[in-house]
């Protein structure tokens, strides 16, 4: 038995006329009769009652029709799933990102557009630090990562990175802090002796090293008041007056009472990188193209 036999049977069951069924199947009547007879012999059941005047389904034929339709529908569904998977619109996609990434419009817009255009893809999202992202992509637990860093990340063989954007960093401080006052933008040198709150995760390690280097160039070592592992704690402690911190400009969308953001007089940049393996699944490649188009780039 093959799917062709099921299609022949269903057509005849719907027409209950060999001539009309054969015409609909674009075949002559004798081969159709032979195929139906062969199907009945293979099943060991009579599916049709035939007389010179009419064709009707037997009780076995009625029950077989229900199951045959299910089989064909499942086969068509399986074929559709395969086509969607080949086109990247079905399957699973694992994406990881640094905590600040969802506040970047390019990332948020890409996630929205991908969900809208590919509802058949199961999105597996994770907030992870840089090193965890790299390790999990390397062992194929995840497909795409989004990390922050000044320079291109060091990646294992078979992985690549692409800079999605660069943006300025801003100083976050309590509204009554001395550096919050006045018309002149504060500089890195103005942070000497000022308690500094550090976002201490592997995802921010590159920027922290860069910031320490800028402080050294300005002739001082930064005074680290506290190290925290979440942006919520970071901004909450700034509001509580425990110190100041530097944030990516995209995080200015977060409104926190008593916290003001000020640009720095000397430009401090942060870059957002997309990382993935050279060879991508269809879904991962579709997401890669989506996030590039969200940023106005050619995929």
């Amino acid at each position: 038995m093959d799917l062709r036999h099921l299609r022949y049977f269903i057509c005849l069951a719907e027409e209950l006329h060999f001539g009309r069924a054969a015409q609909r199947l674009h075949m002559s009547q004798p081969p159709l009769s032979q195929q139906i007879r062969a199907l009945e012999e293979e099943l060991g059941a009579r599916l049709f009652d035939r007389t010179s005047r009419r064709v009707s389904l037997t009780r076995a034929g009625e029950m077989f029709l229900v199951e045959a339709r299910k089989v064909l529908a499942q086969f068509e569904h399986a074929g559709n799933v395969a086509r969607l998977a080949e086109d990247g619109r079905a399957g699973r996609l694992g994406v990881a990102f640094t905590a600040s990434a969802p506040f970047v419009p390019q990332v948020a817009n890409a996630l929205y557009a991908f969900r809208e255009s590919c509802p058949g893809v199961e999105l597996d999202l994770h907030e992870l630090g840089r090193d965890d992202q790299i390790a999990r992509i390397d062992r194929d637990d995840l497909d795409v990562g989004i990390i922050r860093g000044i320079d291109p990340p060091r990646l294992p063989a078979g992985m690549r990175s692409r800079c999605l954007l660069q943006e300025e960093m801003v100083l976050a401080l309590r509204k009554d802090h001395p550096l919050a006052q006045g018309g002149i933008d504060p500089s890195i040198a103005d942070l000497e002796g000022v308690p500094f709150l550090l976002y201490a995760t592997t995802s921010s390690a590159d920027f922290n090293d860069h910031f320490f280097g800028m402080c050294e160039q300005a002739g001082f070592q930064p005074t680290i008041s506290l190290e925290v592992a979440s942006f919520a704690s970071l901004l909450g402690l700034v509001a509580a007056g425990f110190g100041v911190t530097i944030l990516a400009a995209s995080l200015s969308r977060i409104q926190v009472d008593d916290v003001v953001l000020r640009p720095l007089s000397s430009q401090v940049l942060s870059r957002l990188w997309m990382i993935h393996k050279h060879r991508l699944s269809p879904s991962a490649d579709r997401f890669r193209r989506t996030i590039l188009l969200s940023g106005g780039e050619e995929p």
Side-chain angles (χ1 to χ4, degrees):
M1 188 192 308
D2 59 29
L3 292 174
R4 181 183 55 179
H5 289 131
L6 294 183
R7 291 192 176 96
Y8 291 166
F9 164 74
I10 291 172
C11 184
L12 181 58
E14 291 172 347
E15 295 292 342
L16 294 177
H17 188 282
F18 275 93
R20 289 196 300 270
Q23 185 176 16
R24 188 170 137 191
L25 291 166
H26 305 289
M27 61 190 301
S28 60
Q29 184 173 329
L32 176 60
S33 298
Q34 293 170 7
Q35 293 292 337
I36 296 297
R37 192 174 299 112
L39 176 60
E40 290 177 319
E41 290 175 358
E42 183 173 356
L43 293 173
R46 188 165 49 86
L47 301 176
F48 294 96
D49 283 325
R50 307 167 179 81
T51 69
S52 58
R53 302 185 61 180
R54 64 191 293 270
V55 176
S56 61
L57 282 167
T58 63
R59 179 59 181 158
E62 291 174 351
M63 297 182 69
F64 186 67
L65 177 60
V66 173
E67 301 304 321
R69 281 173 170 160
K70 288 180 182 177
V71 170
L72 275 188
Q74 184 59 41
F75 176 77
E76 291 171 1
H77 173 71
N80 188 48
V81 167
R83 287 187 291 273
L84 289 173
E86 179 67 20
D87 194 36
R89 291 182 290 139
R92 174 191 166 278
L93 175 66
V95 178
F97 44 80
T98 186
S100 62
F103 293 96
V104 176
Q106 182 177 352
V107 176
N109 292 340
L111 287 169
Y112 175 80
F114 188 83
R115 287 187 67 201
E116 289 294 301
S117 63
C118 304
V121 176
E122 177 190 355
L123 267 175
D124 186 19
L125 303 179
H126 299 267
E127 181 185 317
L128 294 172
R130 178 196 60 197
D131 293 347
D132 286 338
Q133 289 192 39
I134 292 171
R136 292 187 62 174
I137 291 173
D138 189 42
R139 64 174 183 258
D140 295 321
D141 286 347
L142 295 171
D143 300 293
V144 178
I146 301 170
I147 63 177
R148 279 198 181 274
I150 304 301
D151 300 314
R154 299 180 202 174
L155 300 174
M159 287 179 63
R160 60 167 297 185
S161 64
R162 180 162 181 167
C163 183
L164 296 177
L165 62 86
Q166 67 176 21
E167 57 181 332
E168 292 188 21
M169 305 294 285
V170 295
L171 186 66
L173 61 171
R174 184 177 165 85
K175 65 181 181 181
D176 57 3
H177 192 282
L179 293 179
Q181 313 303 318
I184 300 175
D185 294 335
S187 67
I188 293 295
D190 292 328
L191 298 179
E192 182 175 3
V194 175
F196 194 85
L197 297 171
L198 195 64
Y199 182 52
T201 69
T202 54
S203 65
S204 61
D206 280 353
F207 172 75
N208 290 343
D209 290 343
H210 182 64
F211 172 70
F212 292 151
M214 289 189 297
C215 293
E216 289 177 7
Q217 287 181 355
F220 70 97
Q221 294 290 329
T223 302
I224 306 303
S225 173
L226 285 171
E227 296 184 3
V228 299
S230 75
F231 278 114
S233 296
L234 192 69
L235 292 173
L237 291 171
V238 169
F242 280 82
V244 306
T245 193
I246 295 182
L247 302 173
S250 55
L251 290 169
S252 61
R253 292 173 176 81
I254 304 175
Q255 300 295 319
V256 179
D257 290 343
D258 298 326
V259 173
V260 297
L261 303 176
R262 297 203 61 188
L264 290 160
S265 60
S266 56
Q267 192 178 56
V268 179
L269 295 177
S270 174
R271 294 183 177 90
L272 203 64
W273 303 87
M274 176 170 58
I275 60 173
H276 54 75
K277 285 196 169 179
H278 286 291
R279 297 189 65 180
L280 290 171
S281 70
S283 294
D285 188 56
R286 179 174 279 271
F287 180 75
R288 179 193 67 83
R289 288 183 279 120
T290 300
I291 199 168
L292 292 178
L293 287 172
S294 295
E297 295 185 48
E298 290 294 328

